[in-house]
Amino acid sequence: MDVSEKIIVLDYGGQYTHLIARRCRDLGVYAEILPQDTRLDDSVLAGVKGVILSGGPRTVTENDIEGVFSENLSTMRTQKIPVLGICFGHQLLAVAHGGELAPGGNPEYGSTKLRIVNRSSILKGLDPEQMVWMSHSDEVRSLPETMKVLALSKDDRIAAFESNDHLVFGVQFHPEVTHTPNGTSVLDAFLRDICKYEKQWSPEDRVNDIVNEIKSAVGDGLVLMGTSGGVDSTVAAFLIKQAIGDRLHCVFVDNGLLREGEREEVEAAFNEMGFKQFHVVDASDEFLDSLDGVADPEEKRKIIAETFIKVFERKARELESAFGHFEFLGQGTIYPDRVESAATGKATAVIKSHHNVRLPSWMKMKLVEPLRDLYKDEVRKVGLSIGVPEQMIKRQPFPGPSLAIRIGGPVTRAQLAILRHADRILQEELGRTPLYERVWQSFCVLLPVRSVGVMGDERTYEQACVIRIVESTDAMTASVSTPSWDVLLTAANRIANEVHGINRVVYDLTSKPPGTIEWY
Ligand code: XMP
């Protein structure tokens, strides 16, 4: 992304790399993640005010400090670009400047007390004795004379340092995690006081540039885009429409597995948002026929993905013969979909396979991905700022395989009707509280497990329904939401009483990990 001031986060494969970039952006500083072996040449360094080296799972080796890294260090020094190493990055900087590492043997995990021994602007927001979050087993044993120890942890281990010329900084702890109280102050001090980052970046500021980028990439071409009604594809479609108007064609596939009223809701919203070329394909029969008798969850996912491609492909050909060649394919890919923080530390552009439809090879289309540099909450802010209706922005994520992965056993029209009814009741009850908007997802799952109940004077022998409500920031991990008993009991009573086919309701208390958010 072409911004006039930015921070680079070099990714060494740490689990918190995205969090570092997130925290910087929350502080109004545009941060971009790049692979660890990126050469920091003039084109990469345009506008760069500082560099952060992430954590990582490995031990620093000679290889790490030679080659590209050593060239990068001297470039940063010549250009007086400050660098902050976190955890692995802290160790890497110490070793690269002549410090010594004590590998393994003495791990520190979790909360540790940090004691500041030399004041420095980078630690100014921390208390003299401060709990911080550690996650390492190697440690920096000694520093060269050009560096000063700033803080120690248990057994006087070197937990923070600064170079005498105030350009190189290292912290062994993780300032980016919420478990380090005041941790953001360390990033803020680095970004504002040391790197002198002055602007107040906000995702909404990007809208004009994004629209112009789409205009120049697409020219007078046509864009085809699968839109699900989800936040990402809706905001992306809105931006593309702003850039090229009705040369954007959206395709909404009704797979017969959607929630109650979903197709109508999305269709009405796109109409209202002024999308002239919004094509709805009713492929319910095709999806349900191909799922007939299939109980295995992975098999369901595979069939749904393949059927989606078939349907999309057919529609694309039909539209091509009516409107001409579609040179571009629009996608709602967002930043975390694209940047993978893998254990190798290689931040290669990988799109999570279950989040995007793999396209048939004949579709040699160029991708238009207006949200490729933004995080989910930034997408929401952009959406609101360009007039995407609030009810679309607030929609919870909904999986591509839809209700099929919320039904245990084979998917039938009857099972879908039961689940839809239960889910509608849950959403109605949650919708009366602020909870619906606060949680990541709230939904029902239909279990093919029968139990005995009583209704009026009759014995019943029906299925069980699970209520699942989770909180999360990125779906990589999730915790169980703890709504009031009132809300849960009202929803559960209504489901058991009103939905034919369900006579028992349970609440899922499993976090992720070890569970996943969806059941199947
Ligand atoms: P899990 O179940 O893996 O879900 O914890 C994490 C998040 O991803 C959504 N999800 C999917 N989204 N296609 C999608 O587009 C899928 O196949 C799929 N499976 C899970 C899920 O709803 C949750 O938000």
Side-chain angles (χ1 to χ4, degrees):
M1 193 186 296
D2 184 21
V3 279
S4 60
E5 287 190 344
K6 66 171 132 180
I7 292 291
I8 286 177
V9 180
L10 287 181
D11 179 14
Y12 286 90
Q15 54 177 323
Y16 301 128
T17 305
H18 264 298
L19 213 48
I20 300 172
R22 281 304 345 234
R23 293 284 176 264
C24 294
R25 292 194 189 189
D26 287 344
L27 291 164
V29 167
Y30 183 72
E32 207 167 78
I33 300 172
L34 293 176
Q36 54 179 280
D37 51 7
T38 306
R39 181 164 302 197
L40 300 180
D41 57 23
D42 286 351
S43 67
V44 176
L45 286 178
V48 170
K49 307 289 285 181
V51 175
I52 299 179
L53 312 180
S54 82
R58 293 184 300 108
T59 289
V60 176
T61 65
E62 280 298 313
N63 272 349
D64 289 311
I65 53 174
E66 287 165 358
V68 179
F69 183 69
S70 120
E71 282 172 41
N72 285 346
L73 267 191
S74 71
T75 311
M76 287 189 279
R77 182 162 298 281
T78 317
Q79 300 200 21
K80 295 206 172 350
I81 297 175
V83 55
L84 166 66
I86 296 176
C87 196
F88 177 87
H90 157 94
Q91 297 164 7
L92 186 59
L93 285 173
V95 175
H97 287 88
E100 273 182 320
L101 200 69
N106 208 359
E108 266 185 312
Y109 288 105
S111 262
T112 310
K113 194 186 279 170
L114 183 87
R115 195 162 44 85
I116 295 180
V117 292
N118 276 306
R119 294 305 305 184
S120 155
S121 63
I122 196 161
L123 301 185
K124 69 178 188 193
L126 299 187
D127 296 333
E129 292 207 338
Q130 165 87 57
M131 295 312 284
V132 294
W133 188 261
M134 293 282 190
S135 177
H136 66 108
S137 52
D138 298 350
E139 64 181 275
V140 174
R141 182 188 290 152
S142 70
L143 288 169
E145 282 187 353
T146 49
M147 308 272 185
K148 179 165 78 174
V149 177
L150 300 180
L152 300 169
S153 63
K154 192 164 165 269
D155 303 331
D156 288 345
R157 286 185 257 194
I158 298 171
F161 67 79
E162 174 180 345
S163 65
N164 296 338
D165 60 4
H166 310 295
L167 281 173
V168 181
F169 298 81
V171 290
Q172 180 60 73
F173 58 94
H174 287 275
E176 71 277 20
V177 304
T178 49
H179 312 296
T180 297
N182 306 322
T184 339
S185 73
V186 174
L187 292 175
D188 192 44
F190 177 69
L191 301 167
R192 300 291 180 184
D193 300 350
I194 294 157
C195 299
K196 309 274 184 239
Y197 193 104
E198 282 170 1
K199 292 212 155 46
Q200 192 59 34
W201 183 83
S202 88
E204 299 92 318
D205 300 342
R206 287 280 307 138
V207 170
N208 279 343
D209 289 344
I210 292 176
V211 171
N212 287 333
E213 280 158 23
I214 301 169
K215 277 185 186 159
S216 70
V218 174
D220 54 9
L222 293 175
V223 179
L224 184 70
M225 175 159 194
T227 34
S228 63
V231 178
D232 302 342
S233 63
T234 303
V235 175
F238 211 93
L239 286 163
I240 300 174
K241 186 168 86 58
Q242 278 201 353
I244 63 161
D246 297 337
R247 282 181 290 122
L248 167 67
H249 287 246
C250 298
V251 176
F252 176 88
V253 177
D254 180 350
N255 57 14
L257 305 162
L258 303 176
R259 290 163 294 186
E260 198 171 289
E262 183 152 26
R263 168 174 161 182
E264 295 75 12
E265 205 180 294
V266 175
E267 207 174 348
F270 272 78
N271 261 327
E272 214 164 283
M273 292 187 289
F275 285 81
K276 296 266 177 335
Q277 305 293 354
F278 186 76
H279 312 279
V280 177
V281 185
D282 185 348
S284 313
D285 290 340
E286 197 167 337
F287 277 90
L288 294 181
D289 289 350
S290 55
L291 284 170
D292 190 29
V294 178
D296 178 65
E298 277 308 301
E299 185 67 6
K300 285 180 189 172
R301 286 171 179 273
K302 209 171 114 229
I303 290 172
I304 292 166
E306 282 168 7
T307 312
F308 186 88
I309 290 173
K310 255 194 266 169
V311 171
F312 192 71
E313 187 178 358
R314 211 167 46 229
K315 188 67 189 176
R317 284 190 197 282
E318 184 192 313
L319 291 173
E320 288 239 331
S321 57
F323 295 95
H325 179 55
F326 286 93
E327 195 185 341
F328 300 92
L329 183 82
Q331 283 209 321
T333 316
I334 64 173
Y335 199 38
D337 294 339
R338 206 162 59 79
V339 177
E340 180 202 45
S341 299
T344 57
K346 288 266 181 198
T348 40
V350 168
I351 296 174
K352 281 180 208 160
S353 56
H354 77 276
H355 281 157
N356 285 278
V357 173
R358 250 172 280 121
L359 293 159
S361 55
W362 69 267
M363 269 195 199
K364 298 216 173 359
M365 300 166 89
K366 295 179 196 143
L367 287 182
V368 181
E369 297 174 316
L371 309 174
R372 63 201 304 276
D373 293 315
L374 300 178
Y375 288 98
K376 188 106 186 165
D377 58 319
E378 295 173 342
V379 170
R380 290 196 158 109
K381 284 185 191 152
V382 165
L384 284 176
S385 79
I386 56 174
V388 178
E390 218 174 310
Q391 98 256 15
M392 297 302 282
I393 297 295
K394 288 182 176 163
R395 295 188 89 201
Q396 294 176 357
F398 185 62
S402 315
L403 299 183
I405 55 169
R406 295 180 181 170
I407 291 176
V411 178
T412 62
R413 284 184 172 75
Q415 290 289 72
L416 282 165
I418 295 172
L419 180 56
R420 279 193 187 107
H421 189 177
D423 201 65
R424 194 226 317 139
I425 292 174
L426 178 69
Q427 306 315 338
E428 273 172 15
E429 292 307 323
L430 285 186
R432 297 185 217 285
T433 72
L435 197 68
Y436 179 84
E437 286 173 21
R438 265 211 334 260
V439 299
W440 178 261
Q441 273 171 309
S442 52
F443 56 89
C444 289
V445 181
L446 187 60
L447 299 189
V449 173
R450 281 173 197 269
S451 71
V452 175
V454 57
M455 187 88 161
D457 296 327
E458 297 290 327
R459 174 186 190 270
T460 59
Y461 186 54
E462 301 288 4
Q463 297 178 94
C465 165
V466 177
I467 295 180
R468 179 116 173 102
I469 310 178
V470 293
E471 297 180 10
S472 177
T473 47
D474 53 15
M476 304 296 286
T477 59
S479 57
V480 176
S481 178
T482 51
S484 75
W485 276 112
D486 265 4
V487 178
L488 278 181
L489 291 178
T490 311
N493 278 334
R494 279 194 60 198
I495 292 170
N497 286 318
E498 294 175 29
V499 182
H500 293 295
I502 292 176
N503 67 349
R504 193 170 292 267
V505 181
V506 298
Y507 190 56
D508 184 348
L509 295 174
T510 324
S511 60
K512 172 183 179 175
T516 53
I517 295 178
E518 303 291 345
W519 266 54
Y520 299 107

